[in-house]
Amino acid sequence: MASTASATAVLARRGLSCSSSSSSSSWTAAPYARLTNSFAALQNYVFAQKSYSYSTTSNCHPLQLGSNFVARRISLSSRSLGQQGNISAVSESIASLRRFYGAQAGRQKAAVVIASSASSAGTIVSEASNAVESSAAGDSVEPLTWRASIDFKGIRENKEAIAANIINRKSSGDVELVVQLYEQSVRLSMEVDKLRAERNAVASAMKGKLEQARRQELINQGKELKDRLAGLEVELAQLLDKLQREGQRIPNMTHPDVPIGSEDVAVTRKTVGQKREFSFPIKTHVELGQDLDLFDFETAAEVSGNKFYYLKNEAVLLEMALINWTLSQLVKKGFTPLTTPDLVRSSVVEKCGFQPRGQNTQVYSVADTDLCLAGTAEIPIGGMYMDSMLTEGSLPLRLVAFSHCFRTEAGAAGAATRGLYRVHQFSKLEMFAICRPEDSEALHEELISIEEEHFTSLGLHFKTLDMSSEDLGAPAYRKYDVEAWMPGLDRYGEVSSASNCTDYQSRRLNIRYRPEHNMLRDGPKTKLPPPVFAHTLNATACAVPRMIIAILENFQQADGSVVIPEPLRFFMGGLEVIGPKPKK
């Protein structure tokens, strides 16, 4: 009965409670003022138990579980409404508890549909619906925990361009299915609205004095409309869920100048410096770290597993110097510094465009919770502004966050990923910006210029790339990568990136602002313009392990020492060279 108690608690929080004042153990309403606003959706409430046993001492009837979708008849005592009037005043909404089950898989289906009634004051009834989409035995569908503000009408109007974009990015979205589901939902919504209007008309006709025969005729008509409406509302809710799931799979559009194809067709925007010529055998950062006593990969593997590491001695000072120097430069440029939580809710991860589950996910999930380890500070910063209504005058927001980053690095292997290049945990400074749509492209150029300025100050040889369509993640409209030359690895390695995500993340995180420049005058009153979804951008300010690789390998000396770049020396207590340790 634990699940019964949980369901009762949820209903109580929503303004509905179990009452023993009625012989039928009716569901009674909390204050009418709350009820008239809307019946809150108890949607996607999943019961933990496979079956229910009913105790006669309970005030609540158990859910009837069966192979078909069933609905719980819920009575609303007219007494609990006080003297506020007819139930037809209650605003329309649907609320459902759903649990799917198949006979062979042991999954069960149940639904509670709460639909307002205009036929007999104080009574809410919902019947079983056969319109609910069935699920194959053993199928498992995660309940929706959030919804993006997706422009489905815009998708329908531009489906050819979106279909081509999906192909160019090698994405898995299905725009034809999205359009089909959207058109079905529009037709079904119109049908639901028509039934609601008919039901309201019946309710209005029942007011005043009527002959008993006529009243009974209207009551029967109201019940029939109510039953049909309950079934269609459940069907519509499920259709909208499916539409939302498929809509979330559509990636962002792509900037027209982005090269189409694989990573090989990425265009070099800028090259800074030249490859250093060495007169001695070049060491990798792993060899340098071993000789200078900077890393311990072996002990970390025993303690935590492969792709973890200990930093030691001057490597620790170097990490702190990189963080503090970069942070000081960005604060001077007007960035607000932050530190962020390492754990975030999986829904926030999803809203930012990352997949916390799946075979090749890069996200660590905490078992038996809805928490994940953040792979980048972009996620908790985005979550920080979730459901915000910003002022136009506060934009753009420029933020820089220090965080620990955790990544599974699924599929990463080979000599090129040895040492610090691909690790499961690392420290990073991340730039994040929120701005008006018309400012995002200029701000994107600003972010990549900051990165290039930093790497130039450190004396690194690097190139900046305009990444190809197939290399863009779902949120990115355009992405620039910075690749630094790593002589020990004998190749360029990515040390930074900068992405313009336009309104892809803000539509999921619900980050909006209200324009101030076009306030509308309506007589003596000022009419507020509609809110606009902001644009979000992110850029790596300093990913510590990759920067350590670039510094050690580029500034190594013939005697095995490493020269510290001049801007970092102050933050390392004046240290200029990392030299071999004296033998004990």
Side-chain angles (χ1 to χ4, degrees), residues 172-461:
S172 59
D174 188 341
V175 67
E176 289 292 343
L177 178 58
V178 170
V179 170
Q180 178 186 348
L181 291 171
Y182 173 65
E183 291 176 345
Q184 289 176 6
S185 70
V186 170
R187 289 194 296 268
L188 192 55
S189 294
M190 293 174 64
E191 191 174 349
V192 167
D193 289 342
K194 181 181 178 183
L195 285 179
R196 285 174 177 166
E198 291 179 12
R199 190 193 60 184
N200 291 339
V202 170
S204 298
M206 290 182 64
K207 295 178 180 179
K209 295 183 178 180
L210 295 172
E211 294 182 1
Q212 184 60 32
R214 175 56 178 163
R215 180 174 295 277
Q216 188 59 49
E217 179 185 349
L218 290 173
I219 289 175
N220 293 338
Q221 188 178 351
K223 287 182 177 179
E224 180 184 353
L225 289 170
K226 178 170 48 183
D227 292 346
R228 289 171 57 195
L229 183 59
L232 287 181
E233 284 177 328
V234 174
E235 185 178 0
L236 178 60
Q238 292 228 334
L239 182 60
L240 292 175
D241 278 2
K242 189 171 183 181
L243 174 62
Q244 180 68 206
R245 291 181 196 281
E246 293 299 327
Q248 289 177 16
R249 295 174 59 216
I250 302 293
N252 200 352
M253 292 302 289
T254 305
H255 191 285
D257 293 339
V258 167
I260 305 302
S262 66
E263 186 177 355
D264 297 336
V265 302
V267 175
T268 301
R269 300 176 72 247
K270 186 176 184 179
T271 300
V272 175
Q274 296 179 340
K275 296 179 183 177
R276 178 187 168 189
E277 297 291 336
F278 290 88
S279 59
F280 55 87
I282 301 172
K283 295 180 180 179
T284 67
H285 73 281
V286 176
E287 294 168 329
L288 289 165
Q290 182 177 357
D291 294 345
L292 298 174
D293 196 23
L294 301 178
F295 315 135
D296 188 343
F297 295 104
E298 290 75 16
T299 303
E302 294 178 5
V303 173
S304 304
N306 292 328
K307 299 187 184 299
F308 287 94
Y309 57 94
Y310 286 98
L311 294 183
K312 300 166 61 179
N313 301 312
E314 291 91 341
V316 177
L317 301 180
L318 183 56
E319 170 168 332
M320 300 304 171
L322 284 165
I323 294 296
N324 287 314
W325 172 72
T326 305
L327 190 59
S328 68
Q329 297 300 305
L330 290 172
V331 169
K332 290 176 185 177
K333 295 179 184 295
F335 282 75
T336 300
L338 300 169
T339 60
T340 61
D342 290 339
L343 287 167
V344 291
R345 296 189 185 278
S346 59
S347 58
V348 178
V349 176
E350 293 171 352
K351 290 176 184 180
C352 289
F354 300 90
Q355 297 302 319
R357 297 174 181 84
Q359 187 175 0
N360 294 317
T361 181
Q362 294 294 314
V363 180
Y364 284 108
S365 295
V366 181
D368 301 322
T369 75
D370 67 341
L371 295 174
C372 300
L373 287 168
T376 169
E378 168 191 349
I379 298 170
I381 299 177
M384 182 178 178
Y385 287 90
M386 184 167 56
D387 298 323
S388 293
M389 179 66 74
L390 304 171
T391 61
E392 186 178 19
S394 68
L395 302 177
L397 294 176
R398 295 177 175 87
L399 309 159
V400 56
F402 170 78
S403 74
H404 300 109
C405 304
F406 303 87
R407 300 181 184 179
T408 65
E409 294 296 350
T417 65
R418 288 185 61 226
L420 294 175
Y421 195 81
R422 288 202 184 277
V423 290
H424 292 311
Q425 177 184 342
F426 59 95
S427 300
K428 181 162 71 82
L429 276 175
E430 182 79 2
M431 294 182 283
F432 192 89
I434 303 174
C435 68
R436 301 182 306 169
E438 58 265 35
D439 298 331
S440 65
E441 290 200 41
L443 192 52
H444 193 203
E445 296 297 327
E446 176 186 328
L447 293 177
I448 192 63
S449 296
I450 290 172
E451 293 178 351
E452 293 170 342
E453 178 186 333
H454 287 176
F455 300 136
T456 301
S457 298
L458 294 174
L460 296 175
H461 165 47

Side-chain angles (χ1 to χ4, degrees), residues 556-573:
Q556 59 182 297
Q557 306 299 307
D559 63 357
S561 64
V562 175
V563 175
I564 302 299
E566 193 278 331
L568 302 179
R569 294 174 186 175
F570 172 81
F571 298 93
M572 294 185 69

